[in-house]
Amino acid sequence: MHPLHLNTPLLHSATLSRDFGAEVWLKMDALQPVGSFKIRGMGALCQAAHAEGALRFVCASGGNAGYAVAYAGRRLGVPVTIATPTRTSEYMRDLLRQEGAEVEVHGDTWDETHQYALSLAEAQRAAYIHPFDDPRIWEGHATLMHEVAEAGLRPDAVVTSVGGGGLLCGIIRGLQQLEWNDVPVVAVETEGAASFAEAVRAGRLVTLERIQTIATTLAARTVAEAALQMAKEHPVVPWLVSDRQTVTACARFLDDHRVLVEPACGASLAAVYDRAEPLADKQRVLVVVCGGAGVNRELLDRWMAETGAR
């Protein structure tokens, strides 16, 4: 079965390398058909569900996972319902509708939306496509690291943003499959959505009381249990950045590389722009430019004004 994702470019960033003082490589998943890495895992899961006879897909998503499911559904000829939290922008909902998805709005947080979507899936006799917590999703995301290896790069560290933990699980799985067990992952979250960092600190899953961040697509109050477990098996360093840092990184990346990404991606870029301590001794740093479809210049300008970014 041919995958729905693309083998995206691996670019050496002269600007970031000069500013950072070491080689910085960019895995440009912002250039996927849906604007983010999500199509790797969501596409793999949707194809598997379709092969098993699913006649409809339901997904709870703040944006990017749902967009990937909507795209996959259209490609596979399967109708799709996406449930979004109230905080999801109308811009993002319009993108979902343009892919042919039916959009439902329910819940202030993803967790509430998730419970609603599960009931929808049962009522519609649909396959529920989880946005991050499924081994088939992680296998899809693991392809990213295999593409990096095939391009001839073995990084000293991988930098990625973390929301629910699906991409983190996929990256670790890919590193393990490549037997790159000594390559650490710097797992970046915003300070208002640090469910993974809190879980690592506590040694168990932690459910945040609330989410308070502009990076709404990182807004999982509890990470996947597998993300915490894999972090015990592989070197992973949690790192936190502010909303202001993430939005500043988005603006700098647009100026430097002419690519617009959303704050969820800006978090990992901020770790490099601001020389995060875990990267201090690394000579070859790989940044997963995970992208994000829920952004345009008007939204970026608004976020910059809200955070005082420059």
Side-chain angles (χ1 to χ4, degrees):
M1 187 181 301
H2 195 274
L4 298 176
H5 67 266
L6 303 179
N7 184 334
T8 53
L10 177 66
L11 304 180
H12 180 265
S13 172
T15 303
L16 271 168
S17 297
R18 181 186 65 245
D19 293 346
F20 185 73
E23 289 187 17
V24 177
W25 293 83
L26 308 172
K27 184 55 172 165
M28 295 295 296
D29 260 38
L31 303 182
Q32 290 289 355
V34 294
S36 83
F37 75 97
K38 283 286 189 180
I39 189 56
R40 293 180 184 272
M42 309 320 294
L45 181 52
C46 286
Q47 285 181 309
H50 183 236
E52 293 165 1
L55 300 178
R56 188 176 189 90
F57 299 147
V58 172
C59 179
S61 169
N64 291 309
Y67 192 29
V69 173
Y71 172 84
R74 181 176 61 79
R75 289 283 305 271
L76 296 169
V78 177
V80 173
T81 300
I82 305 298
T84 71
T86 55
R87 295 180 66 184
T88 297
S89 69
E90 193 58 33
Y91 172 76
M92 190 70 236
R93 293 193 191 109
D94 283 343
L95 289 178
L96 296 172
R97 295 185 186 106
Q98 288 169 26
E99 283 291 342
E102 179 183 328
V103 178
E104 300 255 1
V105 181
H106 185 92
D108 292 332
T109 66
W110 176 84
D111 302 75
E112 295 170 3
T113 308
H114 168 59
Q115 292 303 317
Y116 176 70
L118 286 172
S119 66
L120 275 182
E122 184 176 359
Q124 297 179 0
R125 297 183 179 179
Y128 181 67
I129 306 297
H130 199 289
F132 56 82
D133 197 2
D134 189 296
R136 292 168 291 185
I137 293 174
W138 311 331
E139 286 298 327
H141 294 334
T143 59
L144 186 151
M145 290 310 310
H146 288 276
E147 291 171 14
V148 170
E150 289 163 7
L153 175 66
R154 189 185 193 281
D156 296 325
V158 180
V159 183
T160 186
S161 299
V162 178
L167 178 57
L168 176 62
C169 289
I171 288 171
I172 293 174
R173 181 159 288 187
L175 290 168
Q176 290 173 339
Q177 290 166 349
L178 292 165
E179 298 185 351
W180 290 357
N181 299 312
D182 59 337
V183 176
V185 181
V186 178
V188 189
E189 297 172 288
T190 56
E191 292 165 349
S195 54
F196 176 71
E198 288 296 315
V200 170
R201 183 184 63 80
R204 56 176 174 79
L205 292 182
V206 173
T207 299
L208 302 179
E209 289 186 12
R210 64 183 182 278
I211 295 290
Q212 193 169 1
T213 180
I214 278 176
T216 55
T217 51
L218 298 183
R221 291 173 59 213
T222 312
V223 296
E225 184 175 359
L228 179 59
Q229 183 57 43
M230 288 188 188
K232 296 175 181 178
E233 302 168 355
H234 189 91
V236 178
V237 183
W239 191 254
L240 302 185
V241 294
S242 68
D243 275 357
R244 181 176 180 175
Q245 285 177 286
T246 68
V247 175
T248 299
C250 290
R252 291 182 67 179
F253 194 72
L254 178 60
D255 289 341
D256 292 343
H257 299 90
R258 284 102 27 220
V259 176
L260 182 60
V261 298
E262 65 182 42
C265 179
S268 53
L269 292 169
V272 180
Y273 275 120
D274 297 338
R275 299 178 179 83
E277 184 180 339
L279 301 174
D281 61 343
K282 309 305 179 189
Q283 296 303 307
R284 292 179 304 279
V285 174
L286 172 68
V287 186
V288 178
V289 183
C290 55
V295 60
N296 57 23
R297 187 56 205 239
E298 180 183 351
L299 286 170
L300 180 58
D301 287 343
R302 184 194 308 169
W303 293 328
M304 292 180 71
E306 290 175 4
T307 61
R310 57 181 176 80

